[in-house]
Amino acid sequence: MPDLTQQLQWIAHEEEEKQAQALARRYGLGYVNLLGYPALFNVIEIIPYETMVNFRLVSYLKTGKTVQMATVDPANPSLKLTIDKLTTDTGNQFVLSVCSQSSFLYMLSLYQDFLSKKPKEEKIQVAQRAGETREAEILSLQKLKDTIAQVPTTQLLEKIMEGAVHTDASDVHLEPQEQYFRLRYRIDGVLQDIASIPIDSYKALLSRIKFLAKMKLDVKDHPQDGRFDIMAGNQPVDVRVSTMPTSAGELVEMRILPREKAFIKLEDLGFREDVLKEIEEAIHSPQGMIINTGPTGSGKTTTLYAILQKLNKPSAKIMTLEDPIEYQISGIDQSQVEPEKNYTFAEGLRAILRQDPDVIMVGEMRDPETASISLQAALTGHLVLTTLHANNAPASLPRLLDMGIASYLLAGSINLIIAQRLVRRVCTVCKGKGCQSCSFLGYRGRIAIAEYLKISPKMGKLINQKGSLADFYNLAKTEGMKTMYEDGMDKVKAGITTQQEITRVARE
């Protein structure tokens, strides 16, 4: 008996092709069914993929200077101008036909398959920061806004990435609105408006980003993740891309990660002397746990990497478990969890413990199982570095107790809890007034403000009693803990930052 699903699919396909034929007759054009067509890559790539996706337009046959092309949408008012431009740019003559959406998607899949097998992928090249003539365009955010607003669509992504690299942005945000899309950079932890660009340009830009990041171009109603590389001068830079559907279109977030980033020394992060002393003491203990707490973007990973650099000696076996691995560190064994493949923090941690490590870094204690295994490792001869999402250092203890962690594990295994935030430094050139050096923001670079907590006998007793957050906080203050806010205000008095910055990130 024939399969009913297959029959229905075939009927639907026949109907789709009949509609394409009717559309061809209506516009006086030829019709072509491209399903299974043996197209060549050098023919398909005649049409740039941005144009291919935006106009649902494919080239499938070339004879001499004549190129046969097909579209799903012959009614598109911009189609003639696009074909005229292709004629001028390539020197070919184009003959247009109509095809179905299925034909178009088939050719698009061929194009993607060809590209996936190419030995060398496209890389975006941006100018080096120092000594390049184009740096004059990026001296201030206003000049950057003007430049991006005027750049042709074909050069838009290059200019956006160039601006991001030259302003030391950590993230690029593309946010579609009804009539335009908003471009923003996160610079020193704060989002800055860069430009408003016509929505038509956004469509082409989005297609190119998704193509480079090896995302599915025709998927618009589900989030996707991907990555691509750019070259800043001779330095490779990873760009991690995330998309998300909204009512106005797809949001795009791009994280900028220099692959050969110069690591900041622990002493240069801005910690005051007593914090540095406690960290040094804690990391030279043969076992125990150091917890770094704070929200996303507070510099936790940077601090842990700085600690790893200090511990990175031939006599120590150091292993990390991260999601994702942000930077490669020579001499350290780094592993990235993949939850979709059942390689979780807990699973990876069990494997690490079979590798005879001296130092373990667990990117984040997200769940009770990971936290319990990490604390047991810290109790049995390993130095464990990890992060936890908590508002301050004392808040880490009730957070772990709420996870169901045994109180004896907490009291016996934690060497030090650090809480930190990053605040912007006042520009040393203009002292906060705004100049070309700081893109007229008044700030350049960031510095850490921090607090720390050690497990004293009284704190251990309170852990066993499963005290409240207020109990832990009050005891920490009684025992002399200097808060992040107090540390920040000391840096305000020293002229390093401003009270507005401290209030923004560490309001008590």
Side-chain angles (χ1 to χ4, degrees):
M1 182 176 178
D3 183 81
L4 180 59
T5 301
Q6 287 184 343
Q7 281 188 333
L8 291 173
Q9 288 175 341
W10 177 250
I11 291 170
H13 171 63
E14 280 192 318
E15 182 60 29
E16 183 187 19
E17 296 302 321
K18 287 178 182 177
Q19 290 175 2
Q21 291 175 33
L23 190 63
R25 287 194 297 271
R26 187 186 314 162
Y27 285 89
L29 298 172
Y31 157 79
V32 62
N33 185 344
L34 295 172
L35 287 175
Y37 196 91
L40 299 174
F41 178 61
N42 63 344
V43 176
I44 298 179
E45 71 173 351
I46 290 172
I47 300 177
Y49 67 85
E50 298 101 327
T51 304
M52 183 178 181
V53 171
N54 290 338
F55 291 91
R56 291 186 291 175
L57 181 68
V58 295
S59 49
Y60 60 92
L61 180 65
K62 185 173 187 288
T63 306
K65 287 288 186 179
T66 301
V67 177
Q68 302 289 336
M69 61 178 2
T71 182
V72 178
D73 183 18
N76 191 316
S78 301
L79 186 60
K80 184 179 184 305
L81 288 175
T82 300
I83 295 175
D84 289 343
K85 186 175 187 307
L86 285 170
T87 302
T88 303
D89 291 346
T90 66
N92 294 311
Q93 296 297 317
F94 291 91
V95 179
L96 182 65
S97 296
V98 175
C99 68
S100 66
Q101 176 75 357
S102 295
S103 283
F104 168 75
L105 292 176
Y106 169 75
M107 298 297 285
L108 184 63
S109 69
L110 281 183
Y111 191 25
Q112 292 172 322
D113 185 53
F114 281 132
L115 285 170
S116 69
K117 295 174 182 176
K118 286 181 70 175
K120 186 177 180 180
E121 63 181 31
E122 176 187 358
K123 280 191 172 59
I124 294 176
Q125 180 77 43
V126 303
Q128 290 179 331
R129 181 159 192 167
E132 294 277 353
T133 58
R134 279 191 272 179
E135 185 181 3
E137 300 175 358
I138 318 296
L139 287 176
S140 72
L141 292 183
Q142 184 56 53
K143 287 186 178 179
L144 178 58
K145 292 174 185 178
D146 295 341
T147 300
I148 287 178
Q150 297 170 11
V151 75
T153 303
T154 54
Q155 301 173 21
L156 187 55
L157 183 57
E158 280 80 356
K159 190 58 65 177
I160 287 173
M161 301 313 297
E162 182 177 318
V165 169
H166 286 180
T167 56
D168 293 324
S170 61
D171 300 83
V172 175
H173 292 256
L174 302 172
E175 301 160 328
Q177 313 294 315
E178 286 189 7
Q179 303 298 327
Y180 64 93
F181 78 90
R182 178 168 63 169
L183 168 65
R184 295 196 288 176
Y185 292 164
R186 190 175 294 279
I187 301 172
D188 290 334
V190 178
L191 280 171
Q192 304 287 344
D193 277 326
I194 301 301
S196 296
I197 302 173
I199 201 70
D200 288 342
S201 299
Y202 174 72
K203 292 176 181 177
L205 177 64
L206 175 62
S207 295
R208 188 171 186 207
I209 290 171
K210 291 172 76 172
F211 177 81
L212 289 171
K214 296 180 172 61
M215 296 176 174
K216 294 180 179 178
L217 300 182
D218 57 334
V219 173
K220 301 179 181 180
D221 56 353
H222 287 86
Q224 295 190 75
D225 295 300
R227 61 171 297 279
F228 62 89
D229 300 335
I230 64 174
M231 295 296 294
N234 296 320
Q235 299 300 317
V237 177
D238 287 333
V239 181
R240 293 191 179 144
V241 185
S242 172
T243 66
M244 179 177 176
T246 72
S247 59
E250 291 179 89
L251 289 176
V252 178
E253 198 279 341
M254 295 187 283
R255 172 67 56 88
I256 313 296
L257 296 168
R259 199 177 300 166
E260 299 178 10
K261 182 181 176 74
F263 290 104
I264 303 174
K265 293 182 179 178
L266 187 62
E267 295 79 7
D268 297 333
L269 291 174
F271 293 125
R272 60 182 189 273
E273 287 301 318
D274 62 318
V275 178
L276 282 173
K277 181 180 176 183
E278 293 296 339
I279 293 174
E280 289 279 359
E281 183 178 318
I283 67 177
H284 287 102
S285 174
Q287 66 182 50
M289 176 178 282
I290 300 172
I291 301 174
N292 198 345
T293 77
T296 301
S298 59
K300 301 187 299 294
T301 302
T302 300
T303 297
L304 292 188
Y305 277 3
I307 292 174
L308 290 178
Q309 287 291 83
K310 289 186 76 73
L311 296 171
N312 192 5
K313 298 181 174 68
S315 58
K317 182 176 179 67
I318 302 174
M319 302 186 72
T320 76
L321 197 60
E322 305 174 60
D323 183 23
I325 297 172
E326 294 197 10
Y327 303 109
Q328 296 286 347
I329 309 175
S330 177
I332 293 177
D333 300 315
Q334 296 172 266
S335 182
Q336 179 165 318
V337 301
E338 296 186 73
E340 64 277 5
K341 297 181 180 178
N342 295 320
Y343 183 47
T344 62
F345 273 111
E347 186 68 25
L349 193 48
R350 291 191 190 94
I352 280 178
L353 291 173
R354 295 193 289 269
Q355 295 292 320
D356 187 32
D358 298 295
V359 180
I360 304 168
M361 186 186 96
V362 181
E364 185 183 343
M365 292 194 294
R366 295 178 180 174
D367 57 84
E369 189 178 16
T370 302
S372 181
I373 298 172
S374 300
L375 287 158
Q376 288 175 11
L379 201 61
T380 56
H382 306 88
L383 181 62
V384 179
L385 313 177
T386 189
T387 72
L388 183 72
H389 281 285
N391 287 334
N392 51 52
S396 301
L397 297 172
R399 171 81 195 284
L400 290 166
L401 287 170
D402 288 343
M403 283 185 181
I405 305 302
S407 56
Y408 77 89
L409 279 177
L410 297 182
S413 59
I414 297 176
N415 294 352
L416 186 68
I417 302 174
I418 309 162
Q420 70 176 76
R421 301 287 190 277
L422 294 177
V423 295
R424 292 182 294 176
R425 287 178 178 266
V426 170
C427 176
T428 56
V429 177
C430 64
K431 304 299 181 183
K433 297 174 184 177
C435 64
Q436 290 185 347
S437 180
C438 62
S439 296
F440 295 94
L441 296 175
Y443 299 94
R444 181 157 186 168
R446 291 190 286 177
I447 190 171
I449 58 174
E451 64 190 30
Y452 69 87
L453 176 67
K454 296 180 70 175
I455 307 301
S456 66
K458 287 184 179 180
M459 195 67 71
K461 184 177 179 181
L462 187 56
I463 290 172
N464 289 324
Q465 295 171 349
K466 297 187 176 180
S468 67
L469 172 56
D471 294 333
F472 286 113
Y473 186 83
N474 291 334
L475 179 57
K477 288 291 291 177
T478 300
E479 293 186 336
M481 183 187 77
K482 190 170 191 174
T483 67
M484 287 182 285
Y485 185 85
E486 292 168 340
D487 182 24
M489 293 310 294
D490 287 344
K491 289 180 169 67
V492 173
K493 293 174 185 175
I496 297 171
T497 188
T498 64
Q499 185 169 351
Q500 290 87 346
E501 276 294 288
I502 304 305
T503 302
R504 179 177 67 84
V505 302
R507 180 181 299 156
E508 289 199 320

